[in-house]
Amino acid sequence: MPTSTRPDLLLPADPGQRALARELYALVARLPIISPHGHVDPALLAEDQPFGDPAQLLIVPDHYLTRMLLSQGVPPSELGVPSRDGTPVETDGRRIWRRFAEHWHLFRGTPSRLWLEQTFTEVFGVDTRLSPATADEVYDALAAKLAEPDFRPRALFERFNIEVLATTESPLDDLGRHAKLAADGWGGPGGRVVTTFRPDNVVDLEFEDWSANVDRLGEITGEDTGTYAGYLAALRARRAAFIDAGATSSDHGHRTARTLDLGADAATLFDRARRGRAEPGDAEAFAAHMLLEFARMSLDDGLVMQLHPGAVRNHNRWLYARHGRDVGGDIPQVTEYVHALAPLLDAYGNDPRLRVVLYTLDEDTFTRELAPLAGGYAALLLGAPWWFLDSPEVLRRFRETVTETAGFYNTAGFVDDTRAFCSIPVRHDVARRIDAGFLARLVAEHRLPMDEAAETIVDLAYRLPKQVYKFGEGQQ
Amino acid sequence: MPTSTRPDLLLPADPGQRALARELYALVARLPIISPHGHVDPALLAEDQPFGDPAQLLIVPDHYLTRMLLSQGVPPSELGVPSRDGTPVETDGRRIWRRFAEHWHLFRGTPSRLWLEQTFTEVFGVDTRLSPATADEVYDALAAKLAEPDFRPRALFERFNIEVLATTESPLDDLGRHAKLAADGWGGPGGRVVTTFRPDNVVDLEFEDWSANVDRLGEITGEDTGTYAGYLAALRARRAAFIDAGATSSDHGHRTARTLDLGADAATLFDRARRGRAEPGDAEAFAAHMLLEFARMSLDDGLVMQLHPGAVRNHNRWLYARHGRDVGGDIPQVTEYVHALAPLLDAYGNDPRLRVVLYTLDEDTFTRELAPLAGGYAALLLGAPWWFLDSPEVLRRFRETVTETAGFYNTAGFVDDTRAFCSIPVRHDVARRIDAGFLARLVAEHRLPMDEAAETIVDLAYRLPKQVYKFGEGQQ
Amino acid sequence: MPTSTRPDLLLPADPGQRALARELYALVARLPIISPHGHVDPALLAEDQPFGDPAQLLIVPDHYLTRMLLSQGVPPSELGVPSRDGTPVETDGRRIWRRFAEHWHLFRGTPSRLWLEQTFTEVFGVDTRLSPATADEVYDALAAKLAEPDFRPRALFERFNIEVLATTESPLDDLGRHAKLAADGWGGPGGRVVTTFRPDNVVDLEFEDWSANVDRLGEITGEDTGTYAGYLAALRARRAAFIDAGATSSDHGHRTARTLDLGADAATLFDRARRGRAEPGDAEAFAAHMLLEFARMSLDDGLVMQLHPGAVRNHNRWLYARHGRDVGGDIPQVTEYVHALAPLLDAYGNDPRLRVVLYTLDEDTFTRELAPLAGGYAALLLGAPWWFLDSPEVLRRFRETVTETAGFYNTAGFVDDTRAFCSIPVRHDVARRIDAGFLARLVAEHRLPMDEAAETIVDLAYRLPKQVYKFGEGQQ
């Protein structure tokens, strides 16, 4: 779904490069969207109910927005973010919307502004510029659209031209919504909506209720998760169930990129943790070890591994205490890959049957670590800039820093990683535009002929993610 | 004070962007200068004596210049830098000037060259290009100007259109020059020249004569600085005196960004240090703890906290032995913020009454740490690129890396941080030009409408620093 | 040797800047090549035999190429890389070439593509675009050229307009090829082909066969390398022999940039290691200490020191086990300079008789560490971006990040550091083009007058490396 109102959005300002970029962008503007990783609630598409009011849809769940207002002293409760400590929370959509519009200038120069504006104009056809004065007008126009059947999730999914969308579930999820999707012809292997296996809540010993989660994992699978062997068997069983629900990849969100082969000690450490006697360092060591276990499972069942390291979760402790997880309180930290991944790479790094997609929150590793690793190991690919880095400037810097050592073909295509369903088309559009601009510069500087740039941009937008994440026929 | 001789200085080369940048720059070129942090000697403005010769004014005290010549084998003593070990020092201004001019090519592509050239042309109206051949001509022309009454400090202050200038003093300073300024109608609360509270020499246990300094702090305030409680009381008293002299902020220059709440151990550690029995790690822990104490004081008295971490002071030990502090021998180091600031942020990070302006010498933290922190905590703002980073390329990269996550409104406006009074207008001019160029690119790429870019540049150049540092009426 | 087929290759796309860049580039396009550091085999020029087939010349020994194919699952044995574990290896040049051509798209946007393409067109006059379909045609055209006398090494050396080329040898090398070169009027002090003293294999205690190497060092020199004093004497003797063979510099490739003065402990540690009883940490401490020893020797004999820290050697252990060293299995790591170099700088950093050229694999140190150090110590200069960083984008970023603090004249000119003799002219050409583009931007932004930019680009391309590495008359 290309941009109608700002055809040259994000294309290079130099007229020569812009003309080339336009040509390249035109090749991908209307290509279907491959969305191999994200956090859209599958219930949305399984149930296909109308969305809520504009504030509940676009502001309340978007921590990019609420953290920016928090940074200027507006508490999340005033924006409707649910509290878990009894703090009263604004529930009036219009009042939330007005408060947000008062602070709209804070978002100048941010991707959030771009995503929202493009969502207004391209998805909802609302061209009124948001401001404190127009807040009600925009709200009403959006609300009117949301009441129409064309704006239900499945209708939008089709209009967005999404070919495949992966959601993310924990092994404890019963995959009921995916079963419903499969029953409706939308899900299952090769379907339009698939799941992703994300086992953090049964792998991270410090996860809230880890041991209870492992108990539950045993109940679901009928395995004895009181033992390490049973625990592994249970994980294998859930992976099989996820694959039956269409999953082609797993996802692992650890504090660091550390990997480790604990060997026989893994069982000892697991037992200790199950008895509530985990020692300092056990959580990190066990998580590191489990990446090797999951790599071994991937060699068997073919799931692509995604690694998302480097977030300090709940850094803002006041925010966590009041509003819980995933509301904008996480902060990136220095992330080391070269030594951290060595045990995994020693074991399986040169095996092309394994496929590991690396993400980062630490831009400083692009040239020094990630590009040399991905350009030198068969198993590694680089994921798109992630989270705080999912923005026009960083998407451009990603290409500028990574391509010379890893090329284009050790990258895995754009990943929107979003909870915000309505922003999916604009996010992919932004990535396509930035790639068009980067390739246009290579052409303008006589570093790449136009015909190869044209083939490359289609690969980046469509073919590569489809192949890397094993969507479509002929995939192993 | 805009640039007359090079109207397009530093504006983007692409004609379309340049036209937009010109328009934006024109809106701020003549705005008054807000200089909320720097190291101009207040005696200069209190006494308003004529400046010395051109070399004594522009070269001898500028460690950017003397370190560059040192890097090519010219010792600072040959440039007139005072020695403390008896090394003979060149005192002839003209000879210093000639020696400097011989090495002028070393500064190609540096901000020092830009600052000096613009000082010659815009401040002194001297258009002759500096070179070994023209050294005397330039020297004589500058010396002639410096003899005129229009080139005394206060006259220049007015010509520079400085609205407010903050100097920096230690708690041991008697603030006599600021009293004189207040008596002359130039200083005091709301005045044109104000002070800043910089307590490093009574906080850093490893500062030369720390204990004697703390004794002196007791004498000045009448508090018993033999105890920790008395020490805190004395600091509070000096803060009050600084506020009476117009201060709106404090400044803290630590080795790292570490913060810590020692609780009752703070007094123990203080006592130990006062008895000359500080243990390894005490200095860093005490400095870290004092940042929390100062935050608590700020909540009471409203001073904005500025943090300047990350310099390895006196890295060049030969230079320090011969010439002392602040002559170009400091070097930046890796600086970590995410974990270091956690104790301070846990305590007060979400309190909008606190205002902490973070600076860095470590550019690698822009996207990974500083922007996410400033974009997620109410108390934090980002200071302008500092010291080694105070240059056109880094000012541009600062906007390119910080804006997408923190926006413009979690930054604190430009800070010149200079000892070189005559360079103040050009430094602010450079920042305004770079911001104009960056905003022009956002406009050219259709990411921001021109009217909002226009409002933003005025905010960056004038409104934001005035508000952040609490200058002007209506400020709490 | 300028580029004929793509005159604007790598020049900025903006027409105004491009015009300036063309003018600047024209000044250096035909200047002789100074190649002060690299890994060309001196036997090539000593014996002047025809090169092998195109695959053996251009693909097999180029680990940039073989690692990229490995990253996509093509094992190096299929590309002819010799194995040391008995793995069968492809030996048919044409089959290797076809396999490579099938993966040519992987190199889009990489410097390897640029280097190869320009080698085809500029060195060999082969303009056919490489693709799977044209693989044979290109192979045959190259093979035909390689059979001509004009394509022997010495003829190419002259056509490449190389004024001086430094190879790199270990102290155990008998320098026989350099003796042959001297006898032919090509080598020796002031000659066209000189050597470089690289003692890693007798300095790194963990180097394969270190102790045997030190024995051999004793045999070659007649010194008793059973003692530390004898070891130092032997190193001094080899340095003298290298200087007689034309060497003007030494080269040191350590894991880190750490330096240390062990004092009398150095002998103890040496003895321990010679008895096979090295303790953990000894290898790093000894290497760090030896940098100080080599600095002391440099003060005596005038060799320029080159430091190449930061590679994790043989990170890809499978690759090392099968194919040995230097085949693409090394990965950069975080490298710290500020504290690591302090002992060396405390001792000799302000002595302009010492000349240390610093290289890095860690781009993140450019603004934070390297530019401030080189801009503040007389002994330090910055080497060109190295290895993974030797690419158009990083060459540009190097100037953008380093110049403002270190200027141009604390950098040491371009170094190709290559084993690939035929790629030397294109590598230097790329650097000259990037510098032309960077200087053109400074001119276009009114930061540097054109005449000074013109002088600077000639300095960067020719005068600076010649002076820094002490080639030519009048050098100390």
Side-chain angles (χ1 to χ4, degrees), chain C residues 215-229:
Chain C
D215 287 342
R216 177 90 191 101
L217 180 68
E219 290 159 28
I220 294 171
T221 56
E223 300 286 347
D224 173 12
T225 56
T227 71
Y228 181 62

Side-chain angles (χ1 to χ4, degrees), chain A residues 17 338-339 346 350 364 367-368 372 374-375 377 404 409-410 441 444-447 451-452 455-456, chain C residues 6 9-10 13 18 67 71-72 108 111 113 129 315-317 332-333 362-364 391-393 396-397:
Chain A
Q17 286 183 70
V338 173
H339 299 287
D346 288 348
N350 297 285
D364 300 341
T367 45
R368 186 184 57 222
Y377 281 99
E404 294 185 314
Y409 293 88
N410 284 303
R441 180 158 73 82
E445 293 178 5
H446 303 281
R447 294 157 77 178
D451 60 338
E452 293 192 50
E455 187 178 285
T456 303
Chain C
R6 293 188 270 184
L9 179 68
L10 290 169
R18 179 164 285 183
R67 81 191 306 275
S71 81
Q72 293 280 317
R108 289 174 186 162
R113 167 160 176 148
R129 212 164 120 188
H315 187 275
N316 193 326
R317 283 160 56 174
Q333 66 181 336
D362 182 353
E363 192 180 3
D364 299 341
S391 63
E393 299 292 328
R396 185 180 288 128
R397 289 200 295 273

Side-chain angles (χ1 to χ4, degrees), chain A residues 73-90:
Chain A
V74 181
S77 57
E78 295 188 15
L79 292 163
V81 178
S83 72
R84 58 177 201 176
D85 67 350
T87 302
V89 163
E90 178 63 68

Side-chain angles (χ1 to χ4, degrees), chain B residues 12 23 58 83 86 109 143 153 167 198 208 214 354 406 476:
Chain B
E23 239 181 280
L58 298 173
S83 73
T167 68
R198 167 109 173 200
E208 246 178 10
V214 175
L354 182 65
Q476 58 162 332

Side-chain angles (χ1 to χ4, degrees), chain B residues 48-252:
Chain B
D48 199 31
Q49 295 299 307
F51 287 108
D53 71 54
Q56 288 299 335
L57 173 61
L58 298 173
I59 296 172
V60 176
D62 187 338
H63 56 65
Y64 288 80
L65 304 181
T66 56
R67 81 191 306 273
M68 180 66 98
L69 268 69
L70 172 60
S71 81
Q72 292 279 317
V74 181
S77 56
E78 295 188 14
L79 293 163
V81 178
S83 73
R84 59 177 201 174
D85 67 350
T87 302
V89 162
E90 177 64 68
T91 55
D92 184 295
R94 191 177 294 274
R95 279 219 290 271
I96 293 169
W97 191 264
R98 286 177 184 162
R99 192 161 294 134
F100 177 71
E102 280 163 25
H103 295 87
W104 185 226
H105 66 285
L106 300 179
F107 294 94
R108 288 174 186 160
T110 69
S112 290
R113 168 161 174 147
L114 204 53
W115 297 334
L116 264 187
E117 280 189 335
Q118 293 296 94
T119 300
F120 296 166
T121 57
E122 305 304 314
V123 178
F124 293 101
V126 175
D127 292 332
T128 307
R129 212 165 120 188
L130 186 63
S131 74
T134 63
D136 278 354
E137 183 186 337
V138 173
Y139 185 87
D140 290 333
L142 292 172
K145 291 288 187 184
L146 285 169
E148 296 177 14
D150 281 1
F151 289 84
R152 291 210 179 177
R154 288 189 183 177
L156 286 177
F157 191 102
E158 305 225 351
R159 180 142 67 92
F160 291 171
N161 197 14
I162 300 175
E163 187 170 310
V164 59
L165 174 79
T167 68
T168 301
E169 275 73 45
S170 114
L172 306 183
D173 191 285
D174 68 1
L175 300 178
R177 282 119 357 144
H178 284 278
K180 169 75 162 61
L181 284 160
D184 290 358
W186 277 70
R192 304 166 82 175
V193 183
V194 300
T195 183
T196 301
F197 180 76
R198 167 109 173 200
D200 297 359
N201 64 353
V202 294
V203 166
D204 177 1
L205 307 183
E206 292 174 355
F207 208 97
E208 246 178 10
D209 304 320
W210 171 76
S211 206
N213 289 345
V214 175
D215 287 343
R216 177 88 191 102
L217 181 68
E219 289 159 28
I220 294 171
T221 56
E223 299 287 347
D224 174 12
T225 56
T227 71
Y228 181 63
Y231 169 74
L232 293 184
L235 289 169
R236 275 190 217 101
R238 289 312 288 154
R239 290 169 68 99
F242 272 65
I243 291 168
D244 286 345
T248 66
S249 71
S250 67
D251 180 34
H252 307 272

Side-chain angles (χ1 to χ4, degrees), chain B residues 172-373:
Chain B
L172 306 183
D173 191 285
D174 68 1
L175 300 178
R177 282 119 357 144
H178 284 278
K180 169 75 162 61
L181 284 160
D184 290 358
W186 277 70
R192 304 166 82 175
V193 183
V194 300
T195 183
T196 301
F197 180 76
R198 167 109 173 200
D200 297 359
N201 64 353
V202 294
V203 166
D204 177 1
L205 307 183
E206 292 174 355
F207 208 97
E208 246 178 10
D209 304 320
W210 171 76
S211 206
N213 289 345
V214 175
D215 287 343
R216 177 88 191 102
L217 181 68
E219 289 159 28
I220 294 171
T221 56
E223 299 287 347
D224 174 12
T225 56
T227 71
Y228 181 63
Y231 169 74
L232 293 184
L235 289 169
R236 275 190 217 101
R238 289 312 288 154
R239 290 169 68 99
F242 272 65
I243 291 168
D244 286 345
T248 66
S249 71
S250 67
D251 180 34
H252 307 272
H254 294 191
R255 285 174 199 81
T256 71
R258 195 172 158 208
T259 62
L260 192 63
D261 195 336
L262 284 171
D265 292 342
T268 312
L269 202 152
F270 177 83
D271 294 342
R272 198 154 66 205
R274 287 290 267 156
R275 292 197 315 273
R277 296 171 180 253
E279 296 174 4
D282 276 6
E284 199 194 340
F286 189 70
H289 169 79
M290 285 307 296
L291 288 180
L292 260 91
E293 289 291 1
F294 287 126
R296 283 190 270 272
M297 295 183 197
S298 276
L299 285 171
D300 290 336
D301 65 22
L303 286 185
V304 176
M305 290 182 77
Q306 300 180 81
L307 303 193
H308 282 98
V312 180
R313 298 285 171 181
N314 310 312
H315 186 274
N316 193 325
R317 284 160 56 172
W318 170 85
L319 188 63
Y320 177 66
R322 178 165 289 187
H323 296 285
R325 300 171 64 91
D326 296 329
V327 291
D330 304 340
I331 299 281
Q333 66 181 338
V334 171
T335 309
E336 201 280 335
Y337 291 86
V338 173
H339 299 286
L341 291 177
L344 176 67
L345 295 171
D346 288 348
Y348 311 112
N350 297 287
D351 189 332
R353 293 174 305 153
L354 182 65
R355 200 169 288 168
V356 179
V357 184
L358 292 176
Y359 295 86
T360 197
L361 295 173
D362 183 353
E363 191 179 3
D364 299 341
T365 62
F366 282 167
T367 44
R368 186 185 57 222
E369 305 183 25
L370 292 179
L373 287 167

